[in-house]
Amino acid sequence: MMKKIKTADKLLLTPGPLSTTGTVKHAMMRDMSTWDADYNRIVTKIRKKLVELATAKTGLYTAVLMQGSGTFAIESVLGSVIPEEGKLLVVSNGVYGRRMAKIASVLKINFVEYEAEETGQPSLNRIEEILQGDQGITHVAVVHIETTTGMINPLTIISKIVKKYNKIFIVDAMSSFGGIPIDIFNMQIDFLITSSNKCIQGVPGFGIIIALKDELEKCGGRARSHSLDLYDQWETMENDSGKWRFTSPTHTVLAFQKALCELEKEGGVEARYIRYRENHDLLVEGMKKLKFKTVIPENIQSPVITSFHYPKSGKFNFEKFYKKLKDRGFVIYPGKLGKMDTFRIANIGNIKKKDIKNLLKAVGKSVFW
Ligand SMILES: Cc1ncc(COP(=O)(O)O)c(C=O)c1O
């Protein structure tokens, strides 16, 4: 007899993998061939839907799915779109911005990094100065929501500067796409990157690139990696009706298809944004009552993930706090800031108001210091 699958696990208050619905998990309970036409039709539908989520100007854009986690998709973009004679400006204010600089360095891409403070937005004047002063720069990359802190970077204004100087704009929208309204056309983003296990609320397994077709078409033969060649992956998906070049994460793709349906059922990105925002507000209000302080000023704080300072008490110990919350059914996230002690709570995923209320009760009961 088949064993019943346990789907009620601990609630993940983490920025991906995240808690998914039972129905998304259930959608994985099928074996499909990666080369099969029915499966490839699903892939094609997913690609079309992703472009529709990104903009109303669907004819100008295309979506490519890439095996691996989000970082693989970022590496695929940086390694495939910047020509040998090109130069990248990475604007960083956290771990994920710095990771793009690291990728550029490993791939031997000519790049400069403008590293801003982790707890503030990058200076727009500085970005403009760099672009003015260095005519060699051809591409600019920035993270939309810096998951390191939960900060939301001013994409619209950065985009205006990038386009004033006619540069290609690459955006790591890993933890924002699907949860925060973004119009890729209005924001003049040339390459946007996200993954299956973030705000669209699927499970991990592939990254997503939404690209301006005119720019992607120029990228043939530029890749610094065979398996992560964005152009080749796109060409195969496009010409072979949804086929991936190599074995694809079929179960993850099926779960993602379901997750996209559930996003639509919820009311689309706008409705999801409202849920995230309301849950974030509830979380912060409750945590403040429990004497926790947030790290990022509210006006630049995203509704996706929130950093909190450690309590002042010398008796506080994150591992102990984490364990107490885990025993009560909640998994939170350690901090990643260089200079201060913080922890993070994310509220993307299948998380409802009652979950946040229960979490706050559990936090209250876990105060041991
Ligand atoms: C903004 C951002 N960029 C990149 C990544 C890397 O994604 P992955 O861990 O899936 O490789 C993450 C992961 O949380 C992220 O939040």
Side-chain angles (χ1 to χ4, degrees):
M1 207 172 82
M2 209 170 88
K3 249 177 127 181
K4 196 163 180 270
I5 291 171
K6 184 172 163 259
T7 54
D9 231 320
K10 310 235 180 257
L11 197 72
L12 301 183
L13 295 149
T14 57
L18 31 80
S19 285
T20 52
T21 60
T23 36
V24 161
K25 282 186 274 279
H26 193 78
M28 287 190 284
M29 303 293 289
R30 284 179 72 193
D31 300 316
M32 287 192 93
S33 165
T34 193
W35 312 113
D36 181 74
D38 290 341
Y39 172 70
N40 290 337
R41 264 192 288 277
I42 293 173
V43 174
T44 301
K45 272 195 203 156
I46 287 176
R47 293 180 56 221
K48 183 167 176 281
K49 184 75 208 165
L50 284 166
V51 175
E52 286 166 7
L53 282 181
T55 182
K57 303 264 186 195
T58 51
L60 301 176
Y61 295 87
T62 186
V64 188
L65 313 183
M66 183 62 78
Q67 293 93 333
S69 81
T71 306
F72 292 64
I74 291 173
E75 186 151 343
S76 159
V77 170
L78 297 183
S80 306
V81 313
I82 301 157
E84 227 174 274
E85 65 284 6
K87 185 170 182 180
L88 172 69
L89 165 64
V90 178
V91 177
S92 73
N93 56 347
V95 168
Y96 298 104
R98 292 198 292 274
R99 188 176 294 176
M100 289 203 280
K102 173 76 183 174
I103 291 169
S105 155
V106 171
L107 295 182
K108 301 194 169 32
I109 292 167
N110 188 11
F111 79 101
V112 281
E113 181 180 4
Y114 159 39
E115 196 175 347
E117 278 293 316
E118 285 183 324
T119 50
Q121 290 185 327
S123 151
L124 302 168
N125 288 340
R126 186 73 198 114
I127 297 174
E128 180 139 21
E129 259 171 36
I130 297 171
L131 292 178
Q132 237 165 24
D134 189 343
Q135 309 291 320
I137 293 169
T138 50
H139 294 65
V140 179
V142 69
V143 177
H144 185 200
I145 291 180
E146 221 341 318
T147 321
T148 314
T149 50
M151 163 150 15
I152 186 153
N153 280 322
L155 217 50
T156 311
I157 315 177
I158 295 178
S159 161
K160 286 206 173 99
I161 302 170
V162 169
K163 289 301 166 185
K164 182 174 160 191
Y165 292 89
N166 259 323
K167 310 301 176 195
I168 305 296
F169 195 29
I170 300 168
V171 175
D172 169 350
M174 203 67 69
S175 51
S176 56
F177 189 77
I180 297 197
I182 298 175
D183 188 312
I184 187 169
F185 175 79
N186 288 344
M187 291 206 180
Q188 301 187 76
I189 299 169
D190 298 289
F191 296 92
L192 176 146
I193 307 137
T194 186
S195 82
S196 56
N197 62 291
K198 298 284 188 191
C199 298
I200 297 174
Q201 298 185 179
V203 302
F206 63 91
I208 296 157
I209 297 105
I210 303 175
L212 185 65
K213 272 190 212 160
D214 280 353
E215 283 307 324
L216 182 55
E217 273 165 4
K218 296 176 191 163
C219 299
R222 286 185 186 172
R224 293 156 178 85
S225 153
H226 177 49
S227 53
L228 295 177
D229 187 330
L230 179 65
Y231 180 88
D232 275 7
Q233 183 89 337
W234 172 62
E235 202 182 33
T236 305
M237 280 189 174
E238 198 69 10
N239 295 342
D240 290 342
S241 315
K243 205 172 111 191
W244 302 53
R245 284 176 307 157
F246 313 123
T247 300
S248 72
T250 48
H251 300 84
T252 301
V253 168
L254 295 173
F256 192 75
Q257 181 191 28
K258 184 69 186 164
L260 279 171
C261 293
E262 292 184 1
L263 173 62
E264 195 161 299
K265 212 165 140 203
E266 187 172 341
V269 178
E270 293 281 346
R272 185 153 291 179
Y273 171 75
I274 291 169
R275 172 164 62 90
Y276 287 175
R277 173 62 60 202
E278 286 176 354
N279 284 344
H280 161 81
D281 291 348
L282 193 63
L283 172 74
V284 169
E285 191 190 309
M287 289 295 278
K288 282 187 175 162
K289 280 189 190 145
L290 292 164
K291 303 207 169 11
F292 287 92
K293 288 202 172 98
T294 51
V295 174
I296 298 297
E298 199 48 40
N299 63 328
I300 53 171
Q301 165 71 56
S302 74
V304 166
I305 185 165
T306 313
S307 293
F308 295 94
H309 289 283
Y310 279 8
K312 283 230 162 65
S313 165
K315 289 190 199 139
F316 181 80
N317 170 298
F318 177 73
E319 282 69 36
K320 195 167 164 187
F321 180 51
Y322 177 90
K323 170 87 175 46
K324 280 184 179 292
L325 283 177
K326 191 171 164 195
D327 290 345
R328 293 188 161 98
F330 300 95
V331 174
I332 61 165
Y333 219 51
K336 239 183 188 174
L337 281 169
K339 289 183 195 148
M340 53 179 93
D341 289 327
T342 57
F343 65 89
R344 290 172 289 176
I345 300 182
N347 56 276
I348 52 178
N350 181 33
I351 294 181
K352 305 183 177 74
K353 265 195 189 115
K354 82 168 175 2
D355 297 316
I356 300 289
K357 286 182 186 162
N358 288 337
L359 165 75
L360 290 166
K361 278 186 205 150
V363 171
K365 286 182 189 153
S366 304
V367 174
F368 59 87
W369 51 94

